[in-house]
């Protein structure tokens, strides 16, 4: 838990915020207990209404400032990002009281792409099975459950046709450390290649 003393956890430099943030995200990929393992993906639908849902962080690349997520290509978020690639990723770790808000754009990879195929091959069988059911958001009846169970042996072929990958390219990062006193906040900006081009303290 963060200290109430503003000097106790104040980063040595603003660059330290950039480094520590991406260490957190990279570590979260392999750590189910990380506060940033599950993030909120926010997109905009066809009616210009904001939409948000929890997603699992599958990969993080500090060099390119890219995060990766898996999704069903029949899901609303896939259609939303196909129309409008602008999105926000929001994460909060209750243990450290650190909030990360990343804004950028998405690039989507369909089931027949090399990126999706590589990601699919790395998935365990029980995860592949989650893509064999009906379209996300449709009514789910007992008959559908029985059908899904019967398809367990064919999830490699049926599930793969529904599997897509989202790569999120970060352009800005809003870093916010919640404290009982003296909250800290910084804003970082990256160029198209992932290089840090601006970082500054801002008012919480």
């Amino acid at each position: 838990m963060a200290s109430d003393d503003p000097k106790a956890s104040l980063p040595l430099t603003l660059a330290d915020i950039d480094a520590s943030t991406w260490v957190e995200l990279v570590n979260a990929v392999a750590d189910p207990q990380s506060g940033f393992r599950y993030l909120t993906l926010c997109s905009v639908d066809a009616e210009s209404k904001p939409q948000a849902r929890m997603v699992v962080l599958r990969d993080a690349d500090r060099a390119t400032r890219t995060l990766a997520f898996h999704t069903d290509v029949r899901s609303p978020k896939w259609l939303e990002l196909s129309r409008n690639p602008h999105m926000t990723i929001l994460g909060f770790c209750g243990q450290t009281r650190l909030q990360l808000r990343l804004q950028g754009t998405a690039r989507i990879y369909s089931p027949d792409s090399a990126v999706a195929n590589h990601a699919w091959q790395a998935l365990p069988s029980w995860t592949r099975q989650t893509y064999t059911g009906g379209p996300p958001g449709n009514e789910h009846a007992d008959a559908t459950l029985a059908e899904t169970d019967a398809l367990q042996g064919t999830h490699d072929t049926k599930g793969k046709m529904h599997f897509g990958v989202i790569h999120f390219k970060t352009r800005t990062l809003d870093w916010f450390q919640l404290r009982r006193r003296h909250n800290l906040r910084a804003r970082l900006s990256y160029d198209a290649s992932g290089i840090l081009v601006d970082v500054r303290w801002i008012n919480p």
Side-chain angles (χ1 to χ4, degrees):
M1 182 175 293
S3 168
D4 290 335
D5 179 1
K7 297 181 180 179
S9 59
L10 186 68
L12 296 178
T13 68
L14 283 166
D16 291 337
I17 290 178
D18 175 59
S20 64
T21 294
W22 286 94
V23 166
E24 288 274 6
L25 291 170
V26 169
N27 290 343
V29 173
D31 182 7
Q33 304 305 316
S34 168
F36 297 109
R37 171 70 167 176
Y38 300 95
L39 302 169
T40 301
L41 186 158
C42 306
S43 55
V44 179
D45 66 17
E47 298 179 352
S48 298
K49 296 179 180 178
Q51 301 294 335
R53 74 286 286 169
M54 299 297 293
V55 291
V56 180
L57 179 61
R58 298 296 185 176
D59 195 18
D61 188 331
R62 177 182 176 182
T64 62
R65 315 295 178 174
T66 302
L67 305 180
F69 308 95
H70 298 166
T71 188
D72 192 309
V73 298
R74 301 167 295 172
S75 67
K77 64 177 171 293
W78 182 268
L79 296 177
E80 290 159 9
L81 294 173
S82 298
R83 299 188 185 101
N84 184 349
H86 296 284
M87 57 183 274
T88 295
I89 295 294
L90 179 66
F92 180 76
C93 178
Q95 294 180 332
T96 61
R97 295 189 289 177
L98 177 63
Q99 175 184 278
L100 302 177
R101 184 159 56 98
L102 304 94
Q103 293 181 308
T105 55
R107 183 172 182 179
I108 57 177
Y109 294 89
S110 58
D112 59 351
S113 68
V115 171
N117 184 64
H118 178 75
W120 178 263
Q121 296 303 320
L123 291 179
S125 59
W126 60 83
T127 302
R128 294 182 183 181
Q129 184 183 328
T130 63
Y131 293 91
T132 62
N138 281 19
E139 184 175 357
H140 192 76
D142 290 342
T144 306
L145 286 172
E147 179 184 359
T148 300
D149 291 339
L151 290 170
Q152 288 184 14
T154 61
H155 58 258
D156 271 8
T157 55
K158 185 174 179 62
K160 189 176 185 302
M161 63 188 293
H162 302 148
F163 177 76
V165 176
I166 299 170
H167 281 182
F168 169 77
K169 183 79 169 183
T170 307
R171 295 307 296 266
T172 63
L173 164 64
D174 191 305
W175 179 95
F176 182 79
Q177 179 67 69
L178 181 65
R179 300 150 64 93
R180 290 193 178 91
R181 296 179 298 167
H182 309 293
N183 295 332
L184 302 174
R185 186 180 177 189
R187 181 174 296 144
L188 298 79
S189 299
Y190 306 97
D191 68 10
S193 63
I195 296 174
L196 181 66
V197 293
D198 186 65
V199 54
R200 64 187 66 188
W201 293 112
I202 59 177
N203 292 326

